[in-house]
Amino acid sequence: MGIAISGTGLHTPSQSISNAELVESFNAYVRNFNEQNKDAIARGEVEALQESSVEFIEKASGIKSRYVVEKEHTLDPKIMCPRLPERPNDELSILAEIGVLAARDAMKAADKKAEDIDAVLVACSNLQRAYPAIAIEVQNALGIEGFGFDMNVACSSATFGIQAAADMIKAGNARSILVVNPEICSGHLNFRDRDSHFIFGDVATAAVLEPEETAHSKDSFRILGTRLKTAFSNNIRNNFGFLNRTSPETANNTDKLFVQEGRKVFKEVVPLVSDMITSHLEDLGKNAYDLKRMWLHQANKNMNDLISRKVLGQDPDQDQAPVILDEYANTSSAGSIIAFHKYKSDMAVGDLGLICSFGAGYSAGTVVVEKLS
Ligand code: COA
């Protein structure tokens, strides 16, 4: 049975932060810190913090701005963290809320109603709570029967979710499945860390998968194949978890937020992903020149350019490998789906494309698609 991605959805938060605003806040924090610690710094007991720069951020990453669910406190040099008041249990959680908005958009694009869908997978990097699953909350809010569960494969959650959904449909366990990627990355980002304070943004994406036979939207894609890979690495970590409270002396250390060795990630992930793309295409009897477009994970523009050069043998243009990270920053699992969502309707029937994710784990996923309608 052929499986189609028959609709995608996007919810973009209304507030955004430019690099200039972010750097102004970071540098105010640095100046306050250095002033407050000036005697200890002079004695060599504390290291002075260094300022960040807009030029570095744009050159090193290609990021120019990011959307966030809460801007004011994130930019307050005394807080540098979004403030999202806890909601009562009978209100929709914020992660489910943005997921529902993206899911509705995807259902509309796929021309599907709640009764057409049998399952909801919430696949993302950061889940708001242990249980009940956010997916079950999204399912309930949308009025969908059937089942839902959460899965976390960091930045590769969306492609892993797509393969899981496609396999479940093929196995006859569901007719149509919603894969939802709500990413509130500002919640796990250490805005006081110079190396990474600029990296992430918030967003939600969603996709509807169903058998080709029932897909009748104007913008659907046949899945030609999916491939997943994981290889353990400590170079991207977040040690937040339910056992943190059992070690109170380290429970609030900065490793309970996102940390990475960016240079190592860059060096190790580029060959892993480019080889994976090439061999997946080969196994499908295709090659890179058959691809009209690659919707790559959106973490770093230089990294994507290098992957494209290795795979295509040339510098990509916006048509071959669209960039959305300039506006959205790294939105973890949602990045490649935002690119797919925004840059697919111009494709002709029969055109081939590739959705590709990579990130912590390491984890990587490729989904090769062909435009159906
Ligand atoms: N402002 C100004 N300068 C900064 C800075 C900042 N915010 N952060 C670091 N620098 C400086 C460093 O101090 C260093 O200076 P030095 O050369 O004098 O020592 C220099 O810039 C280079 O730092 P480095 O950390 O090596 O930068 P980089 O070129 O590797 O870029 C990343 C950093 C994170 C943008 C890049 O490594 C990256 O994106 N890697 C891939 C990460 C990824 O995909 N992760 C997946 C997450 S899901």
Side-chain angles (χ1 to χ4, degrees):
M1 178 202 297
I3 307 298
I5 301 176
S6 55
T8 56
L10 172 67
H11 166 69
T12 303
S14 59
Q15 304 177 66
S16 101
I17 297 178
S18 68
N19 284 346
E21 290 172 310
L22 193 75
V23 166
E24 190 186 327
S25 152
F26 182 86
N27 290 351
Y29 156 73
V30 166
R31 285 193 293 273
N32 290 344
F33 178 93
N34 289 345
E35 175 59 26
Q36 278 161 15
N37 293 282
K38 64 174 187 272
D39 295 337
I41 291 170
R43 289 194 299 272
E45 291 162 11
V46 170
E47 211 170 310
L49 298 181
Q50 290 177 278
E51 294 195 355
S52 183
S53 89
V54 169
E55 295 70 34
F56 170 83
I57 295 171
E58 287 197 26
K59 191 162 171 282
S61 70
I63 295 166
K64 295 181 180 155
S65 60
R66 69 285 296 139
Y67 294 97
V68 289
V69 291
E70 203 275 331
K71 177 171 178 173
E72 185 188 340
H73 296 90
T74 303
L75 285 183
D76 182 336
K78 292 193 190 69
I79 299 172
M80 298 175 88
C81 173
R83 285 280 186 261
L84 304 170
E86 199 158 324
R87 298 176 179 182
N89 288 353
D90 57 4
E91 263 181 43
L92 203 61
S93 68
I94 184 161
L95 202 71
E97 179 181 290
I98 64 168
V100 164
L101 291 168
R104 286 213 171 100
D105 196 27
M107 287 164 69
K108 192 169 166 224
D111 194 22
K112 292 286 161 226
K113 297 198 169 50
E115 54 269 30
D116 302 319
I117 295 179
D118 289 339
V120 177
L121 308 191
V122 163
C124 62
S125 280
N126 291 287
L127 290 153
Q128 187 166 350
R129 58 170 181 260
Y131 42 81
I134 302 293
I136 304 175
E137 198 184 355
V138 170
Q139 177 200 354
N140 184 52
L142 292 170
I144 291 170
E145 300 280 324
F147 63 94
F149 62 87
D150 294 343
M151 53 185 286
N152 173 2
V153 200
C155 289
S156 283
S157 298
T159 53
F160 278 60
I162 286 172
Q163 177 169 306
D167 288 350
M168 283 192 285
I169 297 169
K170 273 188 225 155
N173 294 319
R175 289 167 304 160
S176 177
I177 300 183
L178 250 177
V179 181
V180 189
N181 323 109
E183 293 285 11
I184 303 185
C185 299
S186 57
H188 83 158
L189 180 52
N190 181 357
F191 286 96
R192 295 192 176 93
D193 176 41
R194 179 174 179 254
D195 289 346
S196 63
H197 75 110
F198 53 89
I199 286 181
F200 287 107
D202 303 337
V203 81
T205 54
V208 173
L209 276 77
E210 60 180 310
E212 271 176 42
E213 293 70 42
T214 61
H216 54 257
S217 70
K218 66 172 173 52
D219 222 6
S220 61
F221 286 76
R222 167 185 295 139
I223 296 177
L224 295 184
T226 58
R227 182 156 297 176
L228 310 178
K229 183 167 176 64
T230 51
F232 187 75
S233 167
N234 278 321
N235 290 333
I236 314 172
R237 274 194 85 110
N238 180 341
N239 290 333
F240 174 78
F242 79 103
L243 291 179
N244 293 158
R245 64 192 279 269
T246 65
S247 180
E249 55 290 342
T250 55
N252 291 314
N253 287 2
T254 50
D255 69 324
K256 308 306 180 297
L257 297 168
F258 169 88
V259 282
Q260 75 167 352
E261 296 277 351
R263 273 277 150 104
K264 290 187 186 159
V265 174
F266 198 115
K267 273 197 192 132
E268 292 171 9
V269 169
V270 167
L272 184 147
V273 168
S274 39
D275 290 351
M276 187 169 164
I277 294 173
T278 308
S279 71
H280 190 189
L281 288 171
E282 251 171 47
D283 291 350
L284 291 169
K286 313 276 180 203
N287 68 51
Y289 305 105
D290 296 324
L291 290 178
K292 162 86 177 148
R293 194 160 292 159
M294 296 197 293
W295 301 280
L296 296 176
H297 176 51
Q298 304 279 321
N300 181 299
K301 168 89 167 67
N302 303 324
M303 202 168 172
N304 283 12
D305 286 350
L306 192 53
I307 292 171
S308 298
R309 278 201 291 277
K310 278 180 179 281
V311 171
L312 304 171
Q314 63 182 70
D315 281 332
D317 57 25
Q318 183 72 359
D319 196 42
Q320 287 170 310
V323 177
I324 59 91
L325 64 81
D326 52 346
E327 179 185 348
Y328 282 84
N330 181 346
T331 49
S332 199
S333 69
S336 56
I337 306 300
I338 302 173
F340 180 56
H341 176 81
K342 285 183 170 260
Y343 293 91
K344 65 172 159 43
S345 54
D346 62 312
M347 287 174 65
V349 171
D351 278 349
L352 294 192
L354 173 116
I355 302 170
C356 175
S357 69
F358 43 88
Y362 296 128
S363 58
T366 47
V367 181
V368 181
V369 294
E370 176 186 349
K371 180 100 171 184
L372 262 180
S373 60

